[in-house]
């Protein structure tokens, strides 16, 4: 037998060392893990939350944690507490500034001095449960002034967070040194989303990956990196913002901006086979607003009754009728769809209302699972 062949046979027959056996075992384990991860990804439901800034995307994501009993730890609660302190002081400063720019007189003359003091404060990073209670008397006095209340009623004329009223009405409770944010406080807490926030919740045997992307114009270029393997798009639109303008240019109507983004999404061929679910959010604020603010003054299409009726029968065009305004909103968004075969589901929501979101998400989950039955359950 040739020496070269004998050497080859000895090589084949040579027993493996302990290190080689362990390496092969690790390699097989890695291969199994990779296959398992691929199966999970195929089974995974990826929900992309899109919409303009302040439409309620981050609040919806908080609701998913609450509804599925994924609690916030103490560190997270303390972080929310600091943000709530900042929300209150920044919001009150905005009210004082608006009251002055709109030339609304104050009833309590002492509030001129208190307003001056508050406007000088900029130590937001230092706020804690020892410092914030010192602002309680000052902020209470300002909020109680009819001049500040009048400025708040005219809030569509400037930029202010929707949550300010909730926190100011709960100031006494929040100003105690042992204050810990409730779940409702956390829902109202406002912090601008920058970048991409991902959160996975296992519902039954299926992992739901929620992807929240900032809605401001500067953040939207980051949306494209999230489009891969999307199961459904949850698009949130703030239904009450028809008489407000966006922060970025202070002239574009917020509802118009929201519809423009929605148009771009639903008519993009990338999403041709992806279900889109529209959440017409902030219905609680809309209910209050329609009684005092005429939508037809800001959205000319509201007067086109015949056109609206094609999408929402029985529309009468009454601007102070909540049901009529809801019918118009359905038309306003759904009429942009150009891909006829594409179904769009819609829900009226209140993102800060846990019971409302629990019911809505049950319907959404059923729609998604039925539509993706083969892909999700037969892996």
């Amino acid at each position: 037998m040739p020496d070269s062949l004998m050497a080859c046979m000895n090589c084949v027959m040579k027993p493996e060392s302990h290190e080689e056996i362990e390496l092969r075992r690790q390699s097989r384990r890695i291969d199994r893990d990779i296959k398992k991860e691929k199966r999970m990804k195929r089974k995974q439901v990826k929900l992309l939350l899109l919409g303009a800034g302040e439409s309620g995307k981050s609040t919806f994501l908080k609701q998913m944690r609450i509804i599925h009993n994924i609690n916030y730890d103490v560190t997270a609660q303390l972080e929310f507490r600091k943000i709530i302190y900042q929300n209150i002081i920044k919001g009150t400063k905005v009210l004082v500034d608006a009251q002055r720019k709109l030339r609304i007189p104050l009833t309590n003359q002492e509030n001129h001095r208190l307003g001056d003091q508050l406007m000088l404060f900029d130590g937001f990073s230092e706020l804690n449960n020892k410092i914030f209670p010192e602002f309680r008397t000052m902020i209470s006095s300002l909020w109680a002034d009819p001049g500040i209340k009048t400025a708040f009623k005219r809030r569509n004329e400037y930029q202010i967070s929707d949550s300010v009223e909730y926190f100011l009405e709960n100031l006494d409770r929040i100003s105690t040194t042992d204050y810990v944010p409730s779940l409702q406080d956390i829902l109202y807490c406002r912090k601008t989303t920058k970048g991409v926030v991902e959160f996975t919740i296992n519902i039954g045997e299926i992992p739901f990956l929620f992807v929240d992307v900032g809605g401001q114009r500067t953040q939207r270029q980051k949306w494209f990196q999230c489009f891969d393997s999307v199961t459904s798009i949850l698009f949130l639109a703030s239904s009450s913002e028809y008489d407000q303008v966006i922060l970025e240019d202070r002239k574009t109507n917020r509802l118009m901006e929201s519809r423009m983004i929605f148009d771009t999404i639903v008519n993009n061929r990338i999403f041709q086979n992806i279900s889109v679910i529209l959440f017409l959010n902030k219905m609680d604020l809309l209910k209050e607003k329609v009684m005092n603010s005429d939508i037809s003054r800001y959205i000319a299409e509201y007067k086109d009754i015949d056109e609206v009726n094609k999408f929402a029968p029985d529309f009468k065009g009454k601007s102070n009728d909540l049901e009529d305004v809801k019918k118009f909103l359905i038309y306003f968004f759904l009429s942009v769809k150009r891909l006829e075969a594409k179904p769009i589901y819609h829900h009226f929501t209140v993102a800060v209302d846990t019971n409302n979101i629990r019911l809505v998400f049950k319907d959404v989950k059923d729609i998604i699972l039925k539509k993706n039955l083969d892909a999700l359950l037969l892996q």
Side-chain angles (χ1 to χ4, degrees), residues 71-84:
N71 296 324
Y72 290 99
D73 59 22
V74 174
T75 302
Q77 287 180 318
L78 294 178
E79 177 62 25
F80 279 122
R81 182 173 71 181
K82 186 171 186 175
I83 297 169
I84 288 166

Side-chain angles (χ1 to χ4, degrees), residues 18 73 87 92 127 139 168 196 266 281 300 338 341 347 351 366 373:
H18 175 73
D73 59 22
N87 286 173
T92 311
L127 286 171
I139 293 173
L168 290 174
V196 179
V266 298
N281 193 32
R338 294 189 294 277
H347 292 270
D366 290 345
L373 189 63

Side-chain angles (χ1 to χ4, degrees), residues 336-354:
V336 303
K337 186 183 75 166
R338 294 189 294 277
L339 301 173
E340 290 300 322
K342 186 179 186 67
I344 297 177
Y345 308 92
H346 70 272
H347 292 270
F348 294 102
T349 60
V350 180
V352 293
D353 184 336
T354 302

